[in-house]
Amino acid sequence: MTLTVGVLASGSGTNLQAILDACASANAPARVGVVICNVPGVRALERAGAAGVPHHVVPHVGRSREDFEALLQQHLEQHGVELLVLAGFMRVLTSDFVRAWSGRLINIHPSLLPSFTGLHAIRQALDYGVRWTGCTVHFVDEGVDTGPIIAQAVVPIQADDTEQTLHARVQREEHRLLPEVVRLIAEGRVRIDGRRVLIADLPTS
Ligand code: GAR
Protein backbone atom coordinates (compact mmCIF):
# COMPACT_ATOMS: atom_id res chain seq x y z
CA MET A 1 0.00 0.00 0.00
CA THR A 2 1.30 3.43 -0.95
CA LEU A 3 0.48 6.45 1.18
CA THR A 4 -0.87 9.44 -0.76
CA VAL A 5 0.80 12.65 0.36
CA GLY A 6 -0.38 16.21 -0.25
CA VAL A 7 2.16 19.03 -0.04
CA LEU A 8 1.37 22.69 0.71
CA ALA A 9 4.15 25.13 -0.23
CA SER A 10 4.54 28.88 -0.64
CA GLY A 11 7.92 29.36 -2.28
CA SER A 12 10.91 27.69 -3.85
CA GLY A 13 9.88 24.18 -2.85
CA THR A 14 13.28 22.60 -2.21
CA ASN A 15 11.70 20.48 0.52
CA LEU A 16 8.95 19.48 -1.89
CA GLN A 17 11.70 18.45 -4.32
CA ALA A 18 13.33 16.27 -1.68
CA ILE A 19 10.01 14.49 -1.11
CA LEU A 20 9.39 14.12 -4.84
CA ASP A 21 12.87 12.64 -5.32
CA ALA A 22 12.43 10.20 -2.45
CA CYS A 23 9.00 9.13 -3.73
CA ALA A 24 10.45 8.52 -7.19
CA SER A 25 12.80 5.83 -5.92
CA ALA A 26 11.88 2.18 -6.32
CA ASN A 27 9.70 0.70 -3.55
CA ALA A 28 8.95 4.13 -2.03
CA PRO A 29 6.07 3.69 0.43
CA ALA A 30 4.58 7.12 -0.40
CA ARG A 31 3.60 9.12 -3.48
CA VAL A 32 2.82 12.81 -3.86
CA GLY A 33 -0.80 13.06 -4.99
CA VAL A 34 -1.12 16.84 -5.17
CA VAL A 35 0.81 20.06 -4.54
CA ILE A 36 -1.06 23.22 -3.58
CA CYS A 37 0.50 26.69 -3.38
CA ASN A 38 -1.08 29.82 -1.98
CA VAL A 39 1.22 32.06 -4.08
CA PRO A 40 0.98 32.10 -7.89
CA GLY A 41 4.11 31.57 -9.99
CA VAL A 42 6.33 30.04 -7.31
CA ARG A 43 9.04 27.51 -8.14
CA ALA A 44 7.27 24.79 -6.12
CA LEU A 45 4.57 24.67 -8.82
CA GLU A 46 7.19 24.14 -11.54
CA ARG A 47 8.74 21.34 -9.53
CA ALA A 48 5.37 19.60 -9.21
CA GLY A 49 4.75 20.05 -12.93
CA ALA A 50 8.17 18.66 -13.83
CA ALA A 51 7.45 15.59 -11.70
CA GLY A 52 4.05 15.10 -13.34
CA VAL A 53 2.20 15.76 -10.08
CA PRO A 54 -1.17 17.59 -10.13
CA HIS A 55 -0.76 21.09 -8.74
CA HIS A 56 -3.09 23.95 -7.95
CA VAL A 57 -2.82 27.58 -6.93
CA VAL A 58 -5.23 28.62 -4.20
CA PRO A 59 -4.43 32.27 -3.44
CA HIS A 60 -5.18 33.34 0.11
CA VAL A 61 -5.42 36.96 -0.95
CA GLY A 62 -8.98 38.23 -1.33
CA ARG A 63 -10.72 35.38 0.45
CA SER A 64 -11.57 34.55 4.05
CA ARG A 65 -9.55 31.91 5.90
CA GLU A 66 -12.61 29.67 5.88
CA ASP A 67 -13.08 29.94 2.09
CA PHE A 68 -9.35 29.45 1.53
CA GLU A 69 -9.29 26.29 3.61
CA ALA A 70 -12.53 24.96 2.11
CA LEU A 71 -10.84 25.13 -1.30
CA LEU A 72 -7.72 23.42 0.04
CA GLN A 73 -9.90 20.71 1.53
CA GLN A 74 -11.72 20.16 -1.78
CA HIS A 75 -8.45 19.59 -3.64
CA LEU A 76 -7.06 17.34 -0.89
CA GLU A 77 -10.17 15.16 -0.89
CA GLN A 78 -10.28 15.05 -4.67
CA HIS A 79 -6.75 13.68 -4.74
CA GLY A 80 -7.27 11.22 -1.86
CA VAL A 81 -4.63 12.78 0.39
CA GLU A 82 -3.90 10.75 3.53
CA LEU A 83 -0.93 12.72 4.91
CA LEU A 84 -0.59 16.49 4.52
CA VAL A 85 2.90 18.03 4.60
CA LEU A 86 3.55 21.74 5.15
CA ALA A 87 6.83 22.30 3.31
CA GLY A 88 7.60 26.00 3.52
CA PHE A 89 3.91 26.87 3.72
CA MET A 90 3.76 30.35 5.20
CA ARG A 91 0.13 30.55 6.33
CA VAL A 92 -1.25 29.73 9.73
CA LEU A 93 -4.15 27.28 9.45
CA THR A 94 -7.32 27.61 11.53
CA SER A 95 -8.02 25.38 14.51
CA ASP A 96 -10.91 23.74 12.63
CA PHE A 97 -8.65 22.76 9.72
CA VAL A 98 -5.89 21.54 12.04
CA ARG A 99 -8.35 19.47 14.08
CA ALA A 100 -9.77 17.91 10.92
CA TRP A 101 -6.24 16.79 9.95
CA SER A 102 -5.08 15.92 13.46
CA GLY A 103 -2.37 13.23 13.40
CA ARG A 104 -2.15 13.46 9.60
CA LEU A 105 -0.60 16.95 9.29
CA ILE A 106 3.15 17.61 9.64
CA ASN A 107 5.36 20.69 9.27
CA ILE A 108 9.05 21.37 8.83
CA HIS A 109 10.47 24.32 10.75
CA PRO A 110 14.04 25.67 10.50
CA SER A 111 14.97 25.65 14.19
CA LEU A 112 15.34 23.27 17.08
CA LEU A 113 11.85 23.67 18.51
CA PRO A 114 10.67 24.86 20.97
CA SER A 115 13.24 27.60 20.28
CA PHE A 116 12.57 30.24 17.63
CA THR A 117 8.99 29.62 16.54
CA GLY A 118 7.23 31.63 13.86
CA LEU A 119 8.81 33.70 11.12
CA HIS A 120 12.56 34.25 10.50
CA ALA A 121 13.70 31.34 12.66
CA ILE A 122 17.22 31.41 11.19
CA ARG A 123 17.63 35.12 11.92
CA GLN A 124 16.21 34.61 15.43
CA ALA A 125 18.85 31.94 16.14
CA LEU A 126 21.68 34.15 14.84
CA ASP A 127 20.45 37.20 16.76
CA TYR A 128 20.10 35.19 19.97
CA GLY A 129 23.67 33.91 19.70
CA VAL A 130 23.00 30.20 20.12
CA ARG A 131 25.85 27.88 19.07
CA TRP A 132 23.61 25.20 17.60
CA THR A 133 20.39 25.31 15.66
CA GLY A 134 18.78 22.93 13.18
CA CYS A 135 15.40 21.82 11.95
CA THR A 136 12.36 20.06 13.32
CA VAL A 137 9.61 17.98 11.77
CA HIS A 138 6.52 17.95 13.97
CA PHE A 139 2.84 17.18 13.96
CA VAL A 140 0.80 20.35 13.66
CA ASP A 141 -1.46 21.26 16.56
CA GLU A 142 -3.49 24.40 17.12
CA GLY A 143 -0.48 26.50 18.18
CA VAL A 144 2.30 27.92 16.00
CA ASP A 145 5.13 25.37 15.78
CA THR A 146 4.07 23.74 19.06
CA GLY A 147 2.96 20.22 18.04
CA PRO A 148 4.57 16.91 19.04
CA ILE A 149 8.11 16.57 17.67
CA ILE A 150 8.82 13.67 15.32
CA ALA A 151 12.46 14.30 14.35
CA GLN A 152 15.17 16.93 14.65
CA ALA A 153 18.58 17.53 13.14
CA VAL A 154 21.28 19.72 14.66
CA VAL A 155 23.42 22.25 12.78
CA PRO A 156 26.37 24.13 14.33
CA ILE A 157 26.46 27.91 13.92
CA GLN A 158 29.76 29.34 12.70
CA ALA A 159 31.17 32.72 13.66
CA ASP A 160 30.98 34.05 10.11
CA ASP A 161 27.50 32.70 9.33
CA THR A 162 24.98 34.95 7.65
CA GLU A 163 21.29 34.19 7.44
CA GLN A 164 21.93 32.81 3.94
CA THR A 165 24.87 30.52 4.75
CA LEU A 166 23.19 29.16 7.86
CA HIS A 167 19.88 28.60 6.08
CA ALA A 168 21.70 26.69 3.33
CA ARG A 169 23.22 24.30 5.90
CA VAL A 170 19.91 23.92 7.75
CA GLN A 171 18.20 23.14 4.45
CA ARG A 172 20.66 20.35 3.70
CA GLU A 173 19.43 18.69 6.88
CA GLU A 174 15.79 19.48 6.07
CA HIS A 175 16.08 17.74 2.71
CA ARG A 176 17.27 14.59 4.46
CA LEU A 177 14.92 14.73 7.47
CA LEU A 178 11.55 15.48 5.88
CA PRO A 179 11.50 12.61 3.35
CA GLU A 180 12.74 10.31 6.11
CA VAL A 181 9.76 11.24 8.31
CA VAL A 182 7.34 10.81 5.40
CA ARG A 183 8.77 7.34 4.91
CA LEU A 184 8.45 6.43 8.60
CA ILE A 185 4.81 7.55 8.62
CA ALA A 186 4.08 5.71 5.36
CA GLU A 187 5.53 2.57 6.91
CA GLY A 188 3.11 2.94 9.83
CA ARG A 189 5.91 3.31 12.35
CA VAL A 190 4.97 6.66 13.92
CA ARG A 191 2.61 6.94 16.88
CA ILE A 192 1.67 9.97 18.98
CA ASP A 193 1.62 9.41 22.74
CA GLY A 194 0.62 12.70 24.36
CA ARG A 195 3.44 15.16 23.63
CA ARG A 196 5.83 12.39 22.66
CA VAL A 197 6.13 10.67 19.32
CA LEU A 198 7.14 7.02 19.30
CA ILE A 199 8.90 5.51 16.30
CA ALA A 200 8.81 1.75 15.97
CA ASP A 201 11.60 -0.33 14.47
CA LEU A 202 10.85 -2.18 11.26
CA PRO A 203 9.92 -5.78 12.07
CA THR A 204 12.77 -8.09 11.11
CA SER A 205 11.58 -10.99 9.01
C1 GAR B 1 12.29 25.86 4.82
O1 GAR B 1 13.56 26.16 5.33
C2 GAR B 1 11.30 25.61 5.93
O2 GAR B 1 11.87 25.05 7.06
C3 GAR B 1 10.81 27.01 6.21
O3 GAR B 1 10.69 27.61 4.95
C4 GAR B 1 11.69 27.07 4.10
C5 GAR B 1 11.03 26.67 2.78
O4 GAR B 1 11.99 26.31 1.85
N1 GAR B 1 9.56 26.98 6.89
C6 GAR B 1 9.21 27.85 7.82
O5 GAR B 1 9.90 28.78 8.15
C7 GAR B 1 7.84 27.60 8.42
N2 GAR B 1 7.67 28.39 9.61
P1 GAR B 1 11.59 25.51 0.53
O6 GAR B 1 10.41 26.27 -0.11
O7 GAR B 1 12.80 25.60 -0.33
O8 GAR B 1 11.24 24.12 0.91
Side-chain angles (χ1 to χ4, degrees):
M1 282 278 284
T2 306
L3 187 81
T4 299
V5 175
V7 179
L8 302 186
S10 301
S12 71
T14 62
N15 280 287
L16 164 66
Q17 189 68 55
I19 297 172
L20 289 168
D21 292 347
C23 289
S25 68
N27 301 324
R31 59 180 274 275
V32 180
V34 66
V35 172
I36 307 173
C37 295
N38 61 318
V39 182
V42 292
R43 179 99 173 85
L45 292 162
E46 286 170 33
R47 295 179 191 274
V53 170
H55 47 288
H56 305 279
V57 181
V58 179
H60 61 274
V61 177
R63 35 171 74 95
S64 68
R65 279 187 190 275
E66 288 69 25
D67 288 352
F68 172 67
E69 291 177 359
L71 280 170
L72 292 185
Q73 185 66 25
Q74 264 176 30
H75 288 302
L76 297 171
E77 282 174 16
Q78 188 191 334
H79 292 279
V81 169
E82 299 165 287
L83 171 70
L84 185 53
V85 180
L86 308 183
F89 183 67
M90 299 312 218
R91 296 291 296 170
V92 174
L93 296 161
T94 66
S95 296
D96 283 348
F97 187 92
V98 168
R99 270 198 298 270
W101 282 90
S102 178
R104 302 178 299 148
L105 176 58
I106 65 172
N107 178 48
I108 182 139
H109 183 75
S111 77
L112 290 175
L113 290 173
S115 293
F116 312 129
T117 58
L119 293 176
H120 310 301
I122 302 283
R123 194 186 311 159
Q124 289 185 59
L126 277 175
D127 288 349
Y128 197 94
V130 290
R131 300 290 186 192
W132 303 85
T133 188
C135 52
T136 302
V137 182
H138 63 94
F139 284 107
V140 177
D141 67 6
E142 292 171 42
V144 176
D145 303 322
T146 53
I149 289 169
I150 308 167
Q152 294 185 300
V154 176
V155 174
I157 295 183
Q158 294 165 2
D160 59 352
D161 261 330
T162 63
E163 204 173 333
Q164 288 69 31
T165 59
L166 181 56
H167 197 188
R169 290 207 313 291
V170 169
Q171 284 221 303
R172 275 210 290 278
E173 293 302 315
E174 291 187 334
H175 300 159
R176 185 183 59 74
L177 200 66
L178 186 56
E180 171 73 8
V181 169
V182 169
R183 185 176 61 78
L184 290 169
I185 292 174
E187 289 172 348
R189 294 165 61 189
V190 177
R191 187 163 66 79
I192 305 176
D193 178 19
R195 267 225 58 90
R196 301 182 68 184
V197 173
L198 308 178
I199 298 176
D201 287 336
L202 266 186
T204 49
S205 53

